[in-house]
Amino acid sequence: MTAVTDEDQGNDSGTRKADGRWDDGLIARRAAAAATRGIAEPVPRAPADDDPDPQVEAYAPADGPLPTRLDALRELVGLSRARLDRDTLAEAGRVLDEAAARQRLSSRHTVIAVAGATGSGKSTLFNALAGATISDTGLRRPTTSQPIACSWTDGAAGLLDRLAVPGRLRRRPHPGPAASDEALQGLVLVDLPDHDSAATEHRAQVDRVLALVDAVIWVVDPEKYADAALHERYLRPLAGHAEVTFVVLNQTDRLPGEAADLVLDDLRRLLDEDGIALGEHGEPGATVMSLSALTGDGVPELRELLGRFVQDRTAATRRLSADVDAAAARLRPVYVAGGRAGLGERARDAFTDRLAEAVGAAAAGQAAEREWRRNASRACGTPWLRLWRWYENRGLPGSLDRMGQALTPPEEELTARQRVEQAVRTVADDAAEGLPGPWAQAVREAAFTGAEGLPEALDDLAVRAGAPGAGKRGGETETETGRDTGAGAQPGGARPAKPPRPKWWPVAVLAQASMTLLQIFGGLWLVGQIVGVLEPGLVTPALIMLAGVVGGPLVEWACAAAIRGPARRYGQDAERRLREAAAGCGRARVLDPVAAELARYREVRERYVTVTKFSTTGR
């Protein structure tokens, strides 16, 4: 029986019917239908495989989730390129490329590969389905060295080009029941080399074609149906493609009695262990059956199943959906982790507290409070106390002015830097907790990159905030310097502005001045009496002088009590300003980049959820 190629079929002049009319297949039926309607339609020419622009209906997947899943996977890959290595995204990229290539080709055809081991009888089954001896069979192994295709209808040239099937190995079924079976119109059957062939190039061709076809028929025989190479290399990895998989136990004519049923049951058990869902009782899954391609027993049932499968025209969509599921399953470790990703308010507040501690916000507030009290003491204190303090601080080494202009000790600078680094490290770990490895690393890198120069930036912002004592790093206090440093030094020796004075300070100053004048007046009066200039009378000048001596400290004490609340509030405001400056700097340099990375992860996670939401394999 001679096989007929696509080209031969296109050049054949047709077959003659019993009424004498020539029936040229699809063309004649269209012309007859047009004549019946009374409409003159041009008769299209049959497209040949070598037609540069064949009229083929482009692949248009049925309404369903596949287009949405492919779009989500494409966006997922695009958003992840800067965070994941190329090898991780390689499989997803291949699936997208193959899906795009398949969608550009015919949707009227279903490409089914016939695969099997050496001697399983796959070529015999291929010929039985085609109704012609298209693929060579025999004892010589391997018999099939290259993929051979048989197409039931025209327009499959693009699909076969994608499979790299040479033109000389493209066939058409022999005219007869197999070729005229309406259910098989659109079927493209491909006979593959042996998957366990000793020739490496044969196995490579099998792997290449299996990645491109819409479905596959695995032909096994009673001797090799449990072969580990078949199950571990093909069936188990392709368990998610069960809906586009046929597993056929061939050569049942060699099994006596009920042995065929026993082997078939054992085959189903092995497939179940491979994770392949079996399409039993109307449930979706792989089709498992037994037959004898040599005797023809069971071949009509397989042809009927293939007919329904082809006419359903969803094989390509199912295959692509399973490919997307497989790609998503491989990507799961880099998109899904056990914990919940995010940076809570508690972690943010803790980061702010650590920065405030590193920049010395609390110490700056205390210094500002002391500065307020010192100014009040200078303004409202007795002149004699102010004179004594001036004498103490008149340029001696270690005095107030010199210490106020002192630079931060290197040890304190190092301590502050270490505290900042610890704060960044802690918040990065908190943000990365619950993230997959690559995204956790991206979050840490964003935090550490933003933290470069953070200690210097904290100093600059603290100076602009105008907080007294902002230049002291690491919580420098009076106990560390041996003396209160007053206003506190700032970088570059800059001195902060003096605290504002309350409205009642002039009254207190006037009262203190009055007490001083009373002391002077009473003292002069007493001196005058002593030298004899004035009349004796010690009681009155002594009382006046005593009133000044006692009144001065009383005024100073009253002022100190009155300024306690405002001084505390002034110190708290100074601490708050420095704290906010540190928080703003840390937020701009660390928290915002970390939040951006977390937002990117949430975005890709949403895309990944979309990819897996309509999974057909439950992965």
Side-chain angles (χ1 to χ4, degrees):
M1 188 176 294
T2 307
V4 184
T5 63
D6 285 350
E7 291 80 5
D8 295 336
Q9 187 77 4
N11 296 330
D12 192 0
S13 58
T15 58
R16 186 181 297 274
K17 283 191 172 183
D19 57 3
R21 293 184 293 105
W22 286 93
D23 186 351
D24 199 18
L26 179 62
I27 300 175
R29 288 195 295 274
R30 286 181 176 175
T36 302
R37 296 193 305 266
I39 302 175
E41 294 184 359
V43 179
R45 62 185 180 88
D49 285 348
D50 57 353
D51 192 337
D53 187 19
Q55 300 299 316
V56 177
E57 179 185 355
Y59 177 88
D63 293 338
L66 180 59
T68 301
R69 299 182 69 197
L70 289 174
D71 291 341
L73 182 60
R74 188 174 296 105
E75 294 176 2
L76 180 68
V77 172
L79 291 171
S80 305
R81 291 190 187 279
R83 301 297 180 269
L84 304 179
D85 58 87
R86 182 177 301 178
D87 294 339
T88 302
L89 300 174
E91 179 62 19
R94 186 196 68 80
V95 170
L96 290 172
D97 293 341
E98 297 301 339
R102 183 63 181 92
Q103 289 175 342
R104 289 193 296 266
L105 300 174
S106 172
S107 65
R108 296 184 294 108
H109 294 80
T110 301
V111 183
I112 302 179
V114 182
T118 303
S120 61
K122 59 180 178 56
S123 296
T124 303
L125 178 60
F126 178 84
N127 293 335
L129 293 174
T133 307
I134 296 177
S135 184
D136 294 335
T137 60
L139 297 178
R140 178 178 173 270
R141 306 296 179 200
T143 304
T144 305
S145 59
Q146 287 185 310
I148 301 175
C150 180
S151 176
W152 266 251
T153 54
D154 295 326
L159 293 170
L160 296 178
D161 290 341
R162 179 169 174 252
L163 300 180
V165 177
R168 60 185 176 82
L169 297 180
R170 302 179 186 183
R171 304 287 189 267
R172 295 291 296 274
H174 192 276
S180 60
D181 190 346
E182 288 293 336
L184 296 180
Q185 302 305 306
L187 173 62
V188 179
L189 204 61
V190 182
D191 186 20
L192 298 181
D194 303 331
H195 70 78
D196 60 349
S197 173
T200 305
E201 61 273 13
H202 292 182
R203 298 195 302 269
Q205 290 188 40
V206 172
D207 296 343
R208 177 182 59 81
V209 176
L210 286 179
L212 302 177
V213 296
D214 300 330
V216 60
I217 301 174
W218 288 101
V219 182
V220 298
D221 62 82
E223 295 179 354
K224 295 184 178 180
Y225 73 94
D227 187 12
L230 170 65
H231 289 270
E232 295 178 3
R233 185 175 180 184
Y234 294 103
L235 295 180
R236 196 168 299 164
L238 295 176
H241 296 70
E243 292 189 28
V244 291
T245 301
F246 295 79
V247 182
V248 175
L249 175 62
N250 193 17
Q251 303 178 7
T252 56
D253 56 297
R254 299 169 50 191
L255 299 174
E258 298 179 353
D261 294 335
L262 295 177
V263 174
L264 189 62
D265 290 341
D266 193 48
L267 175 60
R268 288 194 176 97
R269 178 187 63 80
L270 293 175
L271 295 176
D272 183 67
E273 292 178 357
D274 292 334
I276 297 179
L278 303 182
E280 299 175 339
H281 311 293
E283 297 178 355
T287 300
V288 183
M289 62 179 300
S290 61
L291 53 78
S292 175
L294 186 61
T295 64
D297 184 24
V299 174
E301 288 79 1
L302 177 59
R303 184 180 288 111
E304 182 180 355
L305 290 174
L306 291 178
R308 291 199 297 266
F309 186 77
V310 170
Q311 292 306 312
D312 190 36
R313 294 192 178 182
T314 59
T317 301
R318 296 184 197 178
R319 170 59 196 259
L320 294 178
S321 295
D323 287 344
V324 173
D325 291 342
R330 291 188 180 94
L331 292 175
R332 182 178 178 82
V334 299
Y335 290 115
V336 180
R340 182 177 180 181
L343 191 61
E345 289 299 324
R346 181 177 298 179
R348 293 174 179 270
D349 293 342
F351 177 67
T352 301
D353 293 340
R354 292 187 181 96
L355 289 186
E357 180 183 358
V359 80
Q366 295 172 2
E369 182 178 352
R370 289 193 298 269
E371 177 70 9
W372 181 286
R373 292 184 177 182
R374 183 178 296 109
N375 289 342
S377 177
R378 289 172 179 173
C380 305
T382 61
W384 321 117
L385 181 61
R386 292 201 301 272
L387 183 63
W388 174 254
R389 288 175 179 171
W390 171 84
Y391 174 76
E392 276 191 332
N393 300 317
R394 58 175 184 173
L396 297 177
S399 64
L400 173 64
D401 294 337
R402 294 293 180 88
M403 293 178 65
Q405 298 177 3
L407 297 178
T408 305
E411 294 80 5
E412 292 297 332
E413 182 74 22
L414 180 61
T415 302
R417 182 176 297 276
Q418 289 175 344
R419 289 177 178 176
V420 171
E421 292 175 353
Q422 181 182 7
V424 173
R425 193 162 46 247
T426 302
V427 75
D429 291 340
D430 291 341
E433 184 178 0
L435 290 177
W439 299 99
Q441 181 64 25
V443 166
R444 291 190 177 93
E445 289 179 356
F448 296 148
T449 301
E452 295 178 358
L454 180 59
E456 295 77 8
L458 288 175
D459 279 343
D460 294 340
L461 289 180
V463 170
R464 288 198 293 270
K472 291 189 295 181
R473 306 292 302 277
E476 181 183 356
T477 61
E478 181 177 359
T479 58
E480 295 172 348
T481 60
R483 181 181 296 274
D484 191 349
T485 59
Q490 293 189 10
R495 298 296 295 257
K498 291 183 178 181
R501 299 190 175 207
K503 295 181 179 179
W504 52 266
W505 274 25
V507 177
V509 172
L510 180 60
Q512 191 65 260
S514 300
M515 296 299 104
T516 303
L517 291 177
L518 288 178
Q519 295 179 44
I520 296 174
F521 180 75
L524 293 177
W525 195 343
L526 288 176
V527 171
Q529 291 181 351
I530 292 174
V531 298
V533 176
L534 299 176
E535 297 180 0
L538 299 177
V539 177
T540 301
L543 291 177
I544 293 176
M545 185 174 179
L546 180 62
V549 171
V550 175
L554 288 177
V555 171
E556 184 174 359
W557 176 83
C559 291
I563 67 173
R564 187 173 302 159
R568 184 180 298 110
R569 289 192 296 271
Y570 180 75
Q572 292 173 348
D573 289 342
E575 179 180 356
R576 176 184 54 79
R577 286 195 301 270
L578 188 53
R579 188 182 188 88
E580 291 178 352
C585 185
R587 181 173 56 252
R589 288 176 170 264
V590 177
L591 294 184
D592 288 349
V594 168
E597 286 296 331
L598 292 175
R600 179 186 287 268
Y601 170 72
R602 285 192 291 268
E603 186 176 3
V604 299
R605 178 66 184 270
E606 291 175 359
R607 300 298 188 277
Y608 182 78
V609 170
T610 303
V611 172
T612 57
K613 183 177 181 180
F614 302 99
S615 173
T616 59
T617 62
R619 295 190 178 187

